[in-house]
Amino acid sequence: MLIVKKFGGSSVADKERIFNVANRILEDYKAGHEVVVVLSAQGDTTDDLLEKAKEISASPSKREMDMLLSTGEQQSVALMAMALETLGYPAVSLNAFQVGMTTSSTYGNARLRNIETDRIQAELDRKNIVLITGFQGVNRYDDFTTLGRGGSDTTAVALAAALKADKCEIFTDVDGVYTADPRVVKHARKLAEITYDEMLEFASLGAQVLHNRSVEMAKKYGVELVVLSSLTRAEGTIVKEETKVEKMLVSGVTADKNVARIAVVGLKDEPGKAFELFSLLSKKNINVDIILQSIGREGTKDISFTVGRDNLKEAVQSLEEHKERLDAQRIEVDEHVAKVSLVGAGMASNSGIATKMFEALYDAGINIKMISTSEIKISLLIDEKDANEATIAIHDAFKLSGEL
Ligand code: ASP
Ligand code: MG
């Protein structure tokens, strides 16, 4: 069996953890499996490198930034190879250049294009444990690129697809995907299985278990993932196309506090206004999430929508600049909002879910500002201060009825 195992930065943070991981790798190797391991940079290394760059330059070149950041992963794989050799087993570390992992040229947020498997296969044939740097790639100029924060997950899934691995295990410091953040909801339960689509919703809703693009890639190539902890022996969560548990309508609640609401008030109630408004934002690459348009009254209407907080300033600036052209009376901003979402592959065919969610918030006395729904998700915008209480209330409501 060929197994791809990925360990996150906290799993290899120090000497003890490195040997802990080395021993887990050896369990598979000793059982006769071929093992390819993807590693992240140790602990806070990537953050520290970012800091270091800041000390030198306020706006370092993106090429040099990736040259710098890609060293973190290289340290991890070399140290792990040394650990395995110390324990008496053959291992070899490879970076993206040595493997031949090519990406697009966008530094800092490159996309994987192709992975050569020859070198890896040759090393496996020599009975080596193969340790590969996560997060990095090489562009067509033969320069190092990085895949965006958390990108090592994506490296692992891409490798599993390219090598047609039998298993892809992602080890982190949590032991799986939960029905809600266990720090907020005491009764949160670990899910045995979750679908790619549900996981994608979770990932984009702020549950930082897996890199979003790794899930997209897993779905595209049908790579079944297991998310588990490197520190315990607990069974993890399997991420796959379809789960066995057909009757599970909902699989979890998440709260995302990286949200802000913008309201454009008093727009002329005529065709083309939404188009004009959102064109301004898309030109700046600003993602808009929930959108609400009021019923037109006395010739005007309001459009409100949410953006990520990091985009708020730029969005408002752009709208203020074009206020005249948009014919808007004013722009209002609410930064203290949060989005709680209920995710579940089974909710598409069940009409009672939304009602129960609204009831839970009503019972808790929490006001809803905006609502949006999709096939497998219902999101509600509320006050930020109510986020935890809302998460608990919703989780409890569905737990009581046996859904969560
Ligand atoms: N080391 C990189 C980061 O901290 C990539 C990763 O850990 O997945 O974002
Ligand atoms: Mg990660």
Side-chain angles (χ1 to χ4, degrees):
M1 190 149 78
L2 171 60
I3 306 176
V4 172
K5 299 168 98 70
K6 182 260 173 179
F7 295 90
S10 55
S11 300
V12 293
D14 54 29
K15 176 181 150 197
E16 237 168 60
R17 297 249 173 126
I18 286 186
F19 277 100
N20 168 56
V21 166
N23 283 309
R24 292 197 76 150
I25 294 170
L26 285 176
E27 285 171 21
D28 285 327
Y29 183 77
K30 287 182 196 163
H33 302 306
E34 296 181 307
V35 192
V36 173
V37 179
V38 175
L39 298 181
S40 295
Q42 291 183 280
D44 297 327
T45 304
T46 307
D47 288 326
D48 294 345
L49 290 171
L50 283 165
E51 273 306 308
K52 265 196 186 149
K54 236 198 250 161
E55 281 171 22
I56 303 286
S57 161
S59 54
S61 106
K62 291 190 166 165
R63 179 196 180 276
E64 299 309 332
M65 203 64 218
D66 278 1
M67 188 71 179
L68 180 69
L69 292 185
S70 59
T71 62
E73 272 64 18
Q74 206 158 309
Q75 293 177 22
S76 296
V77 289
L79 291 170
M80 188 61 73
M82 292 174 198
L84 288 162
E85 279 165 0
T86 307
L87 295 171
Y89 290 87
V92 62
S93 63
L94 299 172
N95 68 16
F97 203 92
Q98 292 166 311
V99 169
M101 280 196 264
T102 45
T103 68
S104 62
S105 344
T106 332
Y107 297 107
N109 194 24
R111 305 251 157 184
L112 277 169
R113 289 258 162 85
N114 185 50
I115 297 184
E116 297 293 334
T117 54
D118 297 2
R119 176 75 191 267
I120 300 173
Q121 200 51 61
E123 298 296 349
L124 289 172
D125 292 345
R126 280 182 210 122
K127 299 291 169 224
N128 273 321
I129 296 167
V130 185
L131 306 159
I132 299 178
T133 48
F135 180 52
Q136 60 179 248
V138 179
N139 67 15
R140 63 194 162 113
Y141 310 111
D142 279 355
D143 286 334
F144 278 108
T145 53
T146 62
L147 308 181
R149 296 307 304 267
S152 297
D153 296 340
T154 301
T155 309
V157 174
L159 272 167
L163 294 165
K164 302 197 172 53
D166 301 285
K167 250 193 201 176
C168 182
E169 300 171 330
I170 310 279
F171 290 86
T172 66
D173 47 4
V174 294
D175 60 359
V177 184
Y178 279 74
T179 52
D181 184 342
R183 288 166 301 185
V184 176
V185 180
K186 259 198 251 104
H187 310 295
R189 195 170 50 73
K190 188 166 66 189
L191 295 160
E193 298 182 332
I194 185 170
T195 67
Y196 294 127
D197 290 332
E198 289 172 321
M199 193 63 228
L200 275 173
E201 293 290 359
F202 274 132
S204 59
L205 292 169
Q208 282 167 348
V209 188
L210 285 174
H211 195 225
N212 213 338
R213 265 160 47 210
S214 72
V215 186
E216 280 170 13
M217 178 134 9
K219 181 178 159 76
K220 187 164 164 200
Y221 294 102
V223 177
E224 206 168 291
L225 301 177
V226 191
V227 179
L228 62 183
S229 161
S230 60
L231 302 172
T232 69
R233 294 278 158 181
E235 266 177 53
T237 300
I238 301 172
V239 190
K240 57 204 263 196
E241 184 60 43
E242 256 169 50
T243 59
K244 275 185 251 126
V245 213
E246 220 27 283
K247 61 182 188 326
M248 280 281 277
L249 293 176
V250 297
S251 56
V253 193
T254 62
D256 183 0
K257 293 179 182 168
N258 176 26
V259 202
R261 179 173 69 162
I262 300 175
V264 182
V265 180
L267 286 162
K268 256 206 197 107
D269 192 13
E270 61 184 30
K273 283 297 159 200
F275 171 58
E276 254 180 70
L277 199 169
F278 293 116
S279 303
L280 283 174
L281 301 177
S282 67
K283 254 187 231 141
K284 304 245 166 199
N285 268 325
I286 295 172
N287 262 338
V288 170
D289 187 25
I290 308 178
I291 300 176
L292 190 79
Q293 178 176 309
S294 70
I295 294 177
R297 211 171 279 126
E298 287 157 18
T300 70
K301 63 186 172 192
D302 311 333
I303 295 181
S304 25
F305 54 91
T306 61
V307 296
R309 275 187 205 167
D310 35 351
N311 282 327
L312 178 64
K313 225 170 113 190
E314 208 185 349
V316 172
Q317 210 169 25
S318 168
L319 292 172
E320 287 288 356
E321 265 168 39
H322 296 87
K323 208 161 82 179
E324 306 266 283
R325 211 188 78 209
L326 281 171
D327 262 332
Q329 286 163 10
R330 59 178 198 283
I331 289 145
E332 288 173 9
V333 171
D334 188 351
E335 248 191 285
H336 302 285
V337 288
K339 185 173 74 170
V340 281
S341 307
L342 187 64
V343 175
M347 66 168 65
S349 49
N350 192 301
S351 57
I353 303 276
T355 315
K356 193 188 252 169
M357 197 178 172
F358 300 149
E359 186 184 13
L361 290 199
Y362 168 62
D363 287 343
I366 295 169
N367 190 34
I368 301 168
K369 295 169 180 254
M370 284 170 117
I371 302 169
S372 94
T373 64
S374 78
E375 285 250 301
I376 65 162
K377 177 189 75 177
I378 302 167
S379 293
L380 307 178
L381 197 76
I382 58 174
D383 265 340
E384 183 182 6
K385 65 171 174 34
D386 296 329
N388 287 354
E389 207 190 330
T391 308
I392 295 167
I394 295 165
H395 195 274
D396 280 354
F398 285 89
K399 193 179 170 65
L400 282 178
S401 61
E403 304 293 352
L404 275 170

mmCIF file of all heavy atoms in Angstrom, residues 6-10 39-47 50 69 72-73 134-136 146-155 211, ligand 1:
data_model
loop_
_atom_site.group_PDB
_atom_site.id
_atom_site.type_symbol
_atom_site.label_atom_id
_atom_site.label_comp_id
_atom_site.label_asym_id
_atom_site.label_seq_id
_atom_site.Cartn_x
_atom_site.Cartn_y
_atom_site.Cartn_z
ATOM 1 N N LYS A 6 0.462 13.620 5.952
ATOM 2 C CA LYS A 6 0.869 15.018 6.086
ATOM 3 C C LYS A 6 0.823 15.418 7.555
ATOM 4 O O LYS A 6 -0.169 15.158 8.250
ATOM 5 C CB LYS A 6 -0.058 15.922 5.262
ATOM 6 C CG LYS A 6 0.309 17.392 5.300
ATOM 7 C CD LYS A 6 -0.544 18.160 6.268
ATOM 8 C CE LYS A 6 -0.088 19.596 6.458
ATOM 9 N NZ LYS A 6 -0.940 20.341 7.379
ATOM 10 N N PHE A 7 1.877 16.067 8.025
ATOM 11 C CA PHE A 7 1.904 16.537 9.411
ATOM 12 C C PHE A 7 2.033 18.052 9.429
ATOM 13 O O PHE A 7 2.912 18.623 8.769
ATOM 14 C CB PHE A 7 3.063 15.896 10.175
ATOM 15 C CG PHE A 7 2.914 14.406 10.335
ATOM 16 C CD1 PHE A 7 3.420 13.545 9.379
ATOM 17 C CD2 PHE A 7 2.237 13.871 11.425
ATOM 18 C CE1 PHE A 7 3.271 12.167 9.503
ATOM 19 C CE2 PHE A 7 2.082 12.493 11.561
ATOM 20 C CZ PHE A 7 2.597 11.644 10.599
ATOM 21 N N GLY A 8 1.182 18.702 10.186
ATOM 22 C CA GLY A 8 1.195 20.165 10.279
ATOM 23 C C GLY A 8 2.321 20.661 11.166
ATOM 24 O O GLY A 8 2.995 19.871 11.846
ATOM 25 N N GLY A 9 2.506 21.977 11.177
ATOM 26 C CA GLY A 9 3.614 22.583 11.902
ATOM 27 C C GLY A 9 3.660 22.259 13.379
ATOM 28 O O GLY A 9 4.737 22.045 13.947
ATOM 29 N N SER A 10 2.495 22.186 14.032
ATOM 30 C CA SER A 10 2.506 21.912 15.468
ATOM 31 C C SER A 10 2.922 20.463 15.739
ATOM 32 O O SER A 10 3.449 20.154 16.810
ATOM 33 C CB SER A 10 1.134 22.210 16.081
ATOM 34 O OG SER A 10 0.137 21.494 15.395
ATOM 35 N N LEU A 39 5.485 17.592 4.990
ATOM 36 C CA LEU A 39 5.601 18.322 6.253
ATOM 37 C C LEU A 39 5.417 19.818 6.056
ATOM 38 O O LEU A 39 5.788 20.380 5.024
ATOM 39 C CB LEU A 39 6.973 18.076 6.888
ATOM 40 C CG LEU A 39 7.327 16.642 7.293
ATOM 41 C CD1 LEU A 39 8.707 16.603 7.920
ATOM 42 C CD2 LEU A 39 6.290 16.063 8.245
ATOM 43 N N SER A 40 4.853 20.466 7.094
ATOM 44 C CA SER A 40 4.800 21.932 7.173
ATOM 45 C C SER A 40 6.031 22.414 7.920
ATOM 46 O O SER A 40 6.741 21.621 8.527
ATOM 47 C CB SER A 40 3.584 22.388 7.970
ATOM 48 O OG SER A 40 2.394 22.058 7.333
ATOM 49 N N ALA A 41 6.210 23.723 7.914
ATOM 50 C CA ALA A 41 7.303 24.315 8.685
ATOM 51 C C ALA A 41 7.011 24.132 10.170
ATOM 52 O O ALA A 41 5.860 24.136 10.603
ATOM 53 C CB ALA A 41 7.421 25.789 8.345
ATOM 54 N N GLN A 42 8.063 23.992 10.975
ATOM 55 C CA GLN A 42 7.898 23.759 12.406
ATOM 56 C C GLN A 42 7.196 24.916 13.112
ATOM 57 O O GLN A 42 7.579 26.070 12.925
ATOM 58 C CB GLN A 42 9.263 23.615 13.064
ATOM 59 C CG GLN A 42 10.019 22.361 12.701
ATOM 60 C CD GLN A 42 11.324 22.310 13.471
ATOM 61 O OE1 GLN A 42 12.281 22.970 13.089
ATOM 62 N NE2 GLN A 42 11.356 21.545 14.550
ATOM 63 N N GLY A 43 6.247 24.593 13.960
ATOM 64 C CA GLY A 43 5.611 25.589 14.839
ATOM 65 C C GLY A 43 5.289 26.902 14.161
ATOM 66 O O GLY A 43 4.566 26.939 13.167
ATOM 67 N N ASP A 44 5.826 27.981 14.714
ATOM 68 C CA ASP A 44 5.530 29.320 14.180
ATOM 69 C C ASP A 44 6.543 29.794 13.138
ATOM 70 O O ASP A 44 6.644 30.997 12.857
ATOM 71 C CB ASP A 44 5.529 30.354 15.318
ATOM 72 C CG ASP A 44 4.430 30.071 16.322
ATOM 73 O OD1 ASP A 44 3.373 29.568 15.897
ATOM 74 O OD2 ASP A 44 4.625 30.348 17.524
ATOM 75 N N THR A 45 7.301 28.872 12.575
ATOM 76 C CA THR A 45 8.381 29.273 11.667
ATOM 77 C C THR A 45 7.930 30.227 10.557
ATOM 78 O O THR A 45 8.586 31.237 10.291
ATOM 79 C CB THR A 45 9.025 28.019 11.033
ATOM 80 O OG1 THR A 45 9.459 27.170 12.084
ATOM 81 C CG2 THR A 45 10.195 28.394 10.144
ATOM 82 N N THR A 46 6.817 29.908 9.922
ATOM 83 C CA THR A 46 6.378 30.745 8.798
ATOM 84 C C THR A 46 6.058 32.167 9.269
ATOM 85 O O THR A 46 6.444 33.146 8.630
ATOM 86 C CB THR A 46 5.160 30.106 8.092
ATOM 87 O OG1 THR A 46 5.503 28.757 7.751
ATOM 88 C CG2 THR A 46 4.798 30.855 6.821
ATOM 89 N N ASP A 47 5.372 32.260 10.424
ATOM 90 C CA ASP A 47 5.084 33.584 10.984
ATOM 91 C C ASP A 47 6.377 34.326 11.306
ATOM 92 O O ASP A 47 6.505 35.523 11.046
ATOM 93 C CB ASP A 47 4.256 33.463 12.277
ATOM 94 C CG ASP A 47 2.826 33.046 11.992
ATOM 95 O OD1 ASP A 47 2.304 33.454 10.937
ATOM 96 O OD2 ASP A 47 2.246 32.309 12.799
ATOM 97 N N LEU A 50 7.957 35.691 8.240
ATOM 98 C CA LEU A 50 7.221 36.876 7.789
ATOM 99 C C LEU A 50 7.664 38.105 8.576
ATOM 100 O O LEU A 50 7.858 39.187 8.022
ATOM 101 C CB LEU A 50 5.708 36.663 7.942
ATOM 102 C CG LEU A 50 5.038 35.777 6.885
ATOM 103 C CD1 LEU A 50 3.653 35.353 7.331
ATOM 104 C CD2 LEU A 50 4.941 36.533 5.554
ATOM 105 N N LEU A 69 10.082 32.059 2.561
ATOM 106 C CA LEU A 69 9.085 31.214 3.231
ATOM 107 C C LEU A 69 9.290 29.733 2.924
ATOM 108 O O LEU A 69 9.004 28.876 3.754
ATOM 109 C CB LEU A 69 7.671 31.641 2.823
ATOM 110 C CG LEU A 69 7.206 33.001 3.322
ATOM 111 C CD1 LEU A 69 5.752 33.227 2.941
ATOM 112 C CD2 LEU A 69 7.366 33.114 4.830
ATOM 113 N N GLY A 72 11.217 27.242 5.408
ATOM 114 C CA GLY A 72 10.644 26.649 6.626
ATOM 115 C C GLY A 72 10.366 25.168 6.442
ATOM 116 O O GLY A 72 10.747 24.327 7.269
ATOM 117 N N GLU A 73 9.714 24.827 5.359
ATOM 118 C CA GLU A 73 9.367 23.432 5.084
ATOM 119 C C GLU A 73 10.626 22.604 4.825
ATOM 120 O O GLU A 73 10.691 21.423 5.150
ATOM 121 C CB GLU A 73 8.420 23.362 3.883
ATOM 122 C CG GLU A 73 6.928 23.474 4.217
ATOM 123 C CD GLU A 73 6.501 24.807 4.810
ATOM 124 O OE1 GLU A 73 7.250 25.804 4.669
ATOM 125 O OE2 GLU A 73 5.425 24.868 5.421
ATOM 126 N N GLY A 134 5.903 20.616 2.078
ATOM 127 C CA GLY A 134 4.577 21.105 1.724
ATOM 128 C C GLY A 134 4.661 22.570 1.334
ATOM 129 O O GLY A 134 5.730 23.185 1.400
ATOM 130 N N PHE A 135 3.545 23.125 0.849
ATOM 131 C CA PHE A 135 3.372 24.580 0.750
ATOM 132 C C PHE A 135 4.116 25.211 -0.428
ATOM 133 O O PHE A 135 3.807 26.317 -0.839
ATOM 134 C CB PHE A 135 3.814 25.196 2.080
ATOM 135 C CG PHE A 135 3.739 26.688 2.256
ATOM 136 C CD1 PHE A 135 2.576 27.386 1.995
ATOM 137 C CD2 PHE A 135 4.839 27.386 2.742
ATOM 138 C CE1 PHE A 135 2.512 28.758 2.218
ATOM 139 C CE2 PHE A 135 4.783 28.753 2.976
ATOM 140 C CZ PHE A 135 3.612 29.441 2.711
ATOM 141 N N GLN A 136 5.137 24.553 -0.972
ATOM 142 C CA GLN A 136 5.930 25.217 -2.013
ATOM 143 C C GLN A 136 5.819 24.554 -3.380
ATOM 144 O O GLN A 136 5.380 23.422 -3.508
ATOM 145 C CB GLN A 136 7.402 25.252 -1.595
ATOM 146 C CG GLN A 136 8.007 23.881 -1.380
ATOM 147 C CD GLN A 136 9.487 23.975 -0.999
ATOM 148 O OE1 GLN A 136 10.349 23.590 -1.744
ATOM 149 N NE2 GLN A 136 9.752 24.522 0.167
ATOM 150 N N THR A 146 4.899 29.846 -3.256
ATOM 151 C CA THR A 146 4.183 29.179 -2.166
ATOM 152 C C THR A 146 2.690 29.182 -2.479
ATOM 153 O O THR A 146 2.206 29.994 -3.267
ATOM 154 C CB THR A 146 4.440 29.844 -0.797
ATOM 155 O OG1 THR A 146 3.964 31.194 -0.844
ATOM 156 C CG2 THR A 146 5.912 29.826 -0.440
ATOM 157 N N LEU A 147 1.978 28.261 -1.829
ATOM 158 C CA LEU A 147 0.582 27.999 -2.203
ATOM 159 C C LEU A 147 -0.440 28.751 -1.361
ATOM 160 O O LEU A 147 -1.626 28.491 -1.471
ATOM 161 C CB LEU A 147 0.288 26.503 -2.071
ATOM 162 C CG LEU A 147 1.238 25.533 -2.778
ATOM 163 C CD1 LEU A 147 0.777 24.102 -2.547
ATOM 164 C CD2 LEU A 147 1.294 25.829 -4.268
ATOM 165 N N GLY A 148 0.016 29.685 -0.527
ATOM 166 C CA GLY A 148 -0.918 30.365 0.379
ATOM 167 C C GLY A 148 -0.875 29.695 1.736
ATOM 168 O O GLY A 148 -0.581 28.501 1.837
ATOM 169 N N ARG A 149 -1.192 30.471 2.791
ATOM 170 C CA ARG A 149 -1.106 29.942 4.158
ATOM 171 C C ARG A 149 -1.921 28.653 4.302
ATOM 172 O O ARG A 149 -3.032 28.558 3.804
ATOM 173 C CB ARG A 149 -1.596 30.983 5.177
ATOM 174 C CG ARG A 149 -0.762 32.266 5.249
ATOM 175 C CD ARG A 149 0.718 32.033 5.471
ATOM 176 N NE ARG A 149 1.068 31.253 6.640
ATOM 177 C CZ ARG A 149 1.357 31.766 7.830
ATOM 178 N NH1 ARG A 149 1.314 33.061 8.024
ATOM 179 N NH2 ARG A 149 1.695 30.987 8.840
ATOM 180 N N GLY A 150 -1.341 27.710 4.976
ATOM 181 C CA GLY A 150 -2.016 26.423 5.166
ATOM 182 C C GLY A 150 -1.921 25.501 3.960
ATOM 183 O O GLY A 150 -2.563 24.449 3.925
ATOM 184 N N GLY A 151 -1.107 25.885 2.995
ATOM 185 C CA GLY A 151 -1.089 25.187 1.705
ATOM 186 C C GLY A 151 -0.506 23.778 1.699
ATOM 187 O O GLY A 151 -0.645 23.054 0.709
ATOM 188 N N SER A 152 0.117 23.372 2.804
ATOM 189 C CA SER A 152 0.698 22.020 2.821
ATOM 190 C C SER A 152 -0.354 20.920 2.659
ATOM 191 O O SER A 152 -0.061 19.853 2.118
ATOM 192 C CB SER A 152 1.460 21.782 4.119
ATOM 193 O OG SER A 152 2.544 22.669 4.211
ATOM 194 N N ASP A 153 -1.554 21.180 3.146
ATOM 195 C CA ASP A 153 -2.633 20.200 2.952
ATOM 196 C C ASP A 153 -2.832 19.942 1.464
ATOM 197 O O ASP A 153 -3.022 18.813 1.027
ATOM 198 C CB ASP A 153 -3.969 20.734 3.507
ATOM 199 C CG ASP A 153 -3.937 20.948 5.000
ATOM 200 O OD1 ASP A 153 -3.074 20.353 5.663
ATOM 201 O OD2 ASP A 153 -4.783 21.724 5.493
ATOM 202 N N THR A 154 -2.789 21.020 0.698
ATOM 203 C CA THR A 154 -3.012 20.908 -0.746
ATOM 204 C C THR A 154 -1.878 20.116 -1.406
ATOM 205 O O THR A 154 -2.123 19.289 -2.284
ATOM 206 C CB THR A 154 -3.173 22.309 -1.366
ATOM 207 O OG1 THR A 154 -4.280 22.941 -0.720
ATOM 208 C CG2 THR A 154 -3.453 22.234 -2.855
ATOM 209 N N THR A 155 -0.642 20.363 -0.965
ATOM 210 C CA THR A 155 0.475 19.570 -1.473
ATOM 211 C C THR A 155 0.213 18.084 -1.249
ATOM 212 O O THR A 155 0.425 17.260 -2.146
ATOM 213 C CB THR A 155 1.784 19.953 -0.735
ATOM 214 O OG1 THR A 155 1.947 21.364 -0.776
ATOM 215 C CG2 THR A 155 2.981 19.273 -1.372
ATOM 216 N N HIS A 211 -7.020 23.213 4.512
ATOM 217 C CA HIS A 211 -6.902 24.251 3.491
ATOM 218 C C HIS A 211 -8.016 24.028 2.464
ATOM 219 O O HIS A 211 -8.215 22.913 1.973
ATOM 220 C CB HIS A 211 -5.532 24.086 2.822
ATOM 221 C CG HIS A 211 -5.086 25.238 2.007
ATOM 222 N ND1 HIS A 211 -4.542 25.086 0.761
ATOM 223 C CD2 HIS A 211 -5.092 26.561 2.257
ATOM 224 C CE1 HIS A 211 -4.209 26.273 0.280
ATOM 225 N NE2 HIS A 211 -4.532 27.182 1.170
HETATM 226 N N1 ASP B 1 3.921 26.689 6.694
HETATM 227 C C1 ASP B 1 2.837 27.215 5.942
HETATM 228 C C2 ASP B 1 1.947 28.053 6.826
HETATM 229 O O1 ASP B 1 2.231 28.223 7.995
HETATM 230 C C3 ASP B 1 2.042 26.175 5.233
HETATM 231 C C4 ASP B 1 1.321 25.189 6.098
HETATM 232 O O2 ASP B 1 1.577 25.096 7.277
HETATM 233 O O3 ASP B 1 0.469 24.458 5.588
HETATM 234 O O4 ASP B 1 0.975 28.599 6.370
#
